[in-house]
Coordinates of all heavy atoms in Angstrom, one line a residue:
A101 N -17.6 10.1 2.7 CA -17.5 9.7 4.1 C -18.1 8.3 4.4 O -17.8 7.7 5.4 CB -18.1 10.7 5.0
D102 N -19.0 7.8 3.5 CA -19.6 6.5 3.7 C -18.9 5.4 3.1 O -19.4 4.3 3.0 CB -21.0 6.5 3.0 CG -21.9 7.6 3.7 OD1 -21.8 7.8 4.9 OD2 -22.8 8.2 3.0
L103 N -17.6 5.6 2.8 CA -16.8 4.6 2.2 C -16.7 3.3 3.1 O -16.4 3.5 4.2 CB -15.4 5.1 1.8 CG -14.4 4.1 1.1 CD1 -14.9 3.7 -0.2 CD2 -13.1 4.8 1.0
Q104 N -16.9 2.1 2.6 CA -16.9 0.9 3.3 C -15.5 0.2 3.2 O -15.1 -0.4 4.2 CB -18.0 -0.1 2.8 CG -19.4 0.5 3.0 CD -19.7 0.7 4.5 OE1 -19.5 -0.2 5.3 NE2 -20.2 1.9 4.9
R105 N -14.9 0.2 2.0 CA -13.6 -0.4 1.8 C -12.6 0.6 1.3 O -12.7 1.0 0.2 CB -13.8 -1.6 0.9 CG -14.6 -2.7 1.4 CD -14.6 -3.9 0.5 NE -13.4 -4.6 0.6 CZ -13.1 -5.7 -0.1 NH1 -13.9 -6.1 -1.1 NH2 -12.0 -6.3 0.0
F106 N -11.6 0.8 2.1 CA -10.6 1.8 1.7 C -9.6 1.0 0.7 O -9.5 -0.2 0.7 CB -9.8 2.2 2.9 CG -10.5 3.3 3.7 CD1 -11.3 2.9 4.8 CD2 -10.4 4.6 3.4 CE1 -12.0 3.8 5.5 CE2 -11.1 5.5 4.1 CZ -11.9 5.2 5.2
P107 N -8.8 1.8 -0.1 CA -7.9 1.1 -1.0 C -7.0 0.1 -0.4 O -6.7 -1.0 -1.0 CB -7.1 2.3 -1.6 CG -8.0 3.5 -1.4 CD -8.8 3.2 -0.2
A108 N -6.5 0.3 0.8 CA -5.6 -0.6 1.4 C -6.2 -2.0 1.6 O -5.5 -3.0 1.5 CB -5.1 -0.1 2.8
E109 N -7.5 -2.1 1.9 CA -8.2 -3.3 2.0 C -8.2 -4.1 0.7 O -8.1 -5.3 0.7 CB -9.6 -3.1 2.6 CG -9.6 -2.6 4.0 CD -11.0 -2.2 4.4 OE1 -11.9 -3.1 4.4 OE2 -11.2 -1.0 4.8
I110 N -8.3 -3.4 -0.3 CA -8.4 -4.0 -1.7 C -7.0 -4.5 -2.2 O -6.8 -5.5 -2.7 CB -9.1 -3.1 -2.7 CG1 -10.5 -2.8 -2.2 CG2 -9.0 -3.6 -4.1 CD1 -11.2 -1.6 -3.0
Y111 N -6.0 -3.7 -1.8 CA -4.6 -3.9 -2.4 C -3.7 -4.6 -1.4 O -2.6 -4.9 -1.7 CB -4.0 -2.6 -2.8 CG -4.7 -2.0 -4.1 CD1 -5.9 -1.3 -4.0 CD2 -4.2 -2.3 -5.3 CE1 -6.5 -0.8 -5.1 CE2 -4.8 -1.9 -6.5 CZ -5.9 -1.1 -6.4 OH -6.5 -0.7 -7.5
W112 N -4.2 -4.9 -0.1 CA -3.4 -5.4 0.9 C -2.7 -6.7 0.5 O -1.5 -6.8 0.7 CB -4.2 -5.6 2.2 CG -3.3 -5.9 3.4 CD1 -3.2 -7.1 4.0 CD2 -2.5 -5.0 4.0 NE1 -2.3 -7.0 5.0 CE2 -1.8 -5.7 5.1 CE3 -2.1 -3.7 3.8 CZ2 -0.9 -5.1 5.9 CZ3 -1.2 -3.1 4.6 CH2 -0.6 -3.8 5.7
S113 N -3.4 -7.7 0.0 CA -2.7 -9.0 -0.4 C -1.6 -8.7 -1.4 O -0.6 -9.4 -1.4 CB -3.7 -10.0 -0.8 OG -4.4 -9.6 -2.0
A114 N -1.8 -7.8 -2.4 CA -0.8 -7.5 -3.4 C 0.4 -6.9 -2.7 O 1.5 -7.2 -3.1 CB -1.4 -6.6 -4.5
L115 N 0.2 -6.0 -1.8 CA 1.3 -5.3 -1.1 C 2.2 -6.4 -0.4 O 3.4 -6.3 -0.4 CB 0.8 -4.3 -0.1 CG 0.2 -3.0 -0.7 CD1 -0.5 -2.2 0.4 CD2 1.3 -2.2 -1.3
Q116 N 1.5 -7.4 0.2 CA 2.3 -8.5 0.9 C 2.9 -9.4 -0.2 O 4.1 -9.8 0.0 CB 1.3 -9.2 1.8 CG 0.9 -8.4 2.9 CD -0.1 -9.1 3.8 OE1 -1.0 -9.9 3.4 NE2 0.1 -9.0 5.1
E117 N 2.1 -9.8 -1.2 CA 2.6 -10.7 -2.2 C 3.9 -10.2 -2.9 O 4.8 -10.9 -3.2 CB 1.5 -11.0 -3.2 CG 1.9 -12.0 -4.3 CD 2.0 -13.4 -3.7 OE1 1.3 -13.7 -2.7 OE2 2.8 -14.3 -4.3
L118 N 3.9 -8.8 -3.1 CA 5.0 -8.2 -3.8 C 6.1 -7.8 -2.8 O 7.1 -7.1 -3.2 CB 4.5 -7.0 -4.6 CG 3.5 -7.4 -5.8 CD1 3.0 -6.1 -6.4 CD2 4.2 -8.2 -6.8
N119 N 5.9 -8.1 -1.6 CA 6.9 -7.9 -0.5 C 7.1 -6.4 -0.3 O 8.2 -5.9 0.1 CB 8.2 -8.6 -0.8 CG 9.0 -8.8 0.5 OD1 8.4 -9.0 1.6 ND2 10.3 -8.9 0.4
I120 N 6.1 -5.6 -0.5 CA 6.2 -4.2 -0.2 C 5.9 -4.0 1.2 O 6.6 -3.2 2.0 CB 5.2 -3.4 -1.1 CG1 5.6 -3.4 -2.6 CG2 5.0 -1.9 -0.6 CD1 4.7 -2.9 -3.6
V121 N 4.9 -4.7 1.7 CA 4.7 -4.8 3.2 C 5.3 -6.2 3.5 O 4.9 -7.2 3.0 CB 3.2 -4.9 3.6 CG1 2.9 -5.2 5.0 CG2 2.5 -3.5 3.2
R122 N 6.3 -6.2 4.4 CA 7.1 -7.4 4.7 C 6.6 -8.3 5.8 O 7.3 -9.2 6.2 CB 8.5 -6.9 5.0 CG 9.1 -6.3 3.7 CD 10.6 -6.0 3.9 NE 11.2 -5.7 2.7 CZ 12.3 -5.1 2.6 NH1 13.0 -4.7 3.7 NH2 12.8 -4.8 1.4
R123 N 5.4 -8.0 6.2 CA 4.9 -8.8 7.3 C 3.6 -9.4 6.9 O 2.7 -8.7 6.5 CB 4.8 -8.0 8.6 CG 4.4 -8.9 9.8 CD 4.6 -8.1 11.0 NE 5.0 -9.1 12.0 CZ 5.2 -8.8 13.2 NH1 5.2 -7.6 13.6 NH2 5.5 -9.7 14.1
K124 N 3.4 -10.7 7.0 CA 2.1 -11.4 6.6 C 1.2 -11.2 7.8 O 1.2 -12.0 8.7 CB 2.4 -12.8 6.3 CG 3.3 -13.1 5.1 CD 2.6 -12.6 3.8 CE 3.5 -13.0 2.6 NZ 3.2 -12.3 1.4
T125 N 0.4 -10.2 7.7 CA -0.6 -9.9 8.8 C -1.7 -9.1 8.2 O -1.6 -8.6 7.0 CB 0.1 -9.2 10.0 OG1 -0.9 -9.1 11.1 CG2 0.6 -7.9 9.6
S126 N -2.7 -8.8 9.0 CA -3.8 -8.0 8.5 C -3.4 -6.5 8.6 O -2.5 -6.2 9.4 CB -5.1 -8.3 9.3 OG -4.9 -7.8 10.6
I127 N -4.1 -5.6 8.0 CA -3.9 -4.2 8.1 C -4.1 -3.8 9.6 O -3.3 -3.1 10.1 CB -4.9 -3.4 7.2 CG1 -4.8 -3.8 5.8 CG2 -4.6 -1.9 7.4 CD1 -5.9 -3.2 4.9
R128 N -5.2 -4.3 10.1 CA -5.5 -3.9 11.5 C -4.4 -4.3 12.5 O -3.9 -3.5 13.3 CB -6.8 -4.5 12.0 CG -7.2 -4.1 13.4 CD -8.6 -4.3 13.7 NE -9.3 -3.1 13.0 CZ -10.5 -3.2 12.5 NH1 -11.2 -4.3 12.6 NH2 -11.0 -2.1 12.0
R129 N -3.9 -5.5 12.3 CA -2.8 -5.9 13.2 C -1.5 -5.1 13.0 O -0.8 -4.8 14.0 CB -2.5 -7.4 13.0 CG -3.5 -8.3 13.6 CD -3.0 -9.7 13.6 NE -4.1 -10.5 14.3 CZ -4.3 -11.8 14.0 NH1 -3.5 -12.4 13.1 NH2 -5.2 -12.5 14.6
L130 N -1.2 -4.8 11.8 CA 0.0 -4.0 11.5 C -0.2 -2.6 12.1 O 0.7 -2.1 12.8 CB 0.2 -3.8 10.0 CG 1.5 -3.1 9.6 CD1 2.8 -3.8 10.1 CD2 1.6 -2.8 8.1

Side-chain angles (χ1 to χ4, degrees):
D102 296 327
L103 183 62
Q104 297 296 312
R105 292 185 78 183
F106 285 93
E109 295 174 55
I110 296 167
Y111 290 84
W112 190 251
S113 63
L115 289 167
Q116 292 179 320
E117 184 72 27
L118 298 174
N119 205 29
I120 293 170
V121 172
R122 294 189 168 161
R123 187 166 211 178
K124 299 290 185 198
T125 188
S126 69
I127 303 167
R128 179 158 287 148
R129 283 190 179 152
L130 184 65

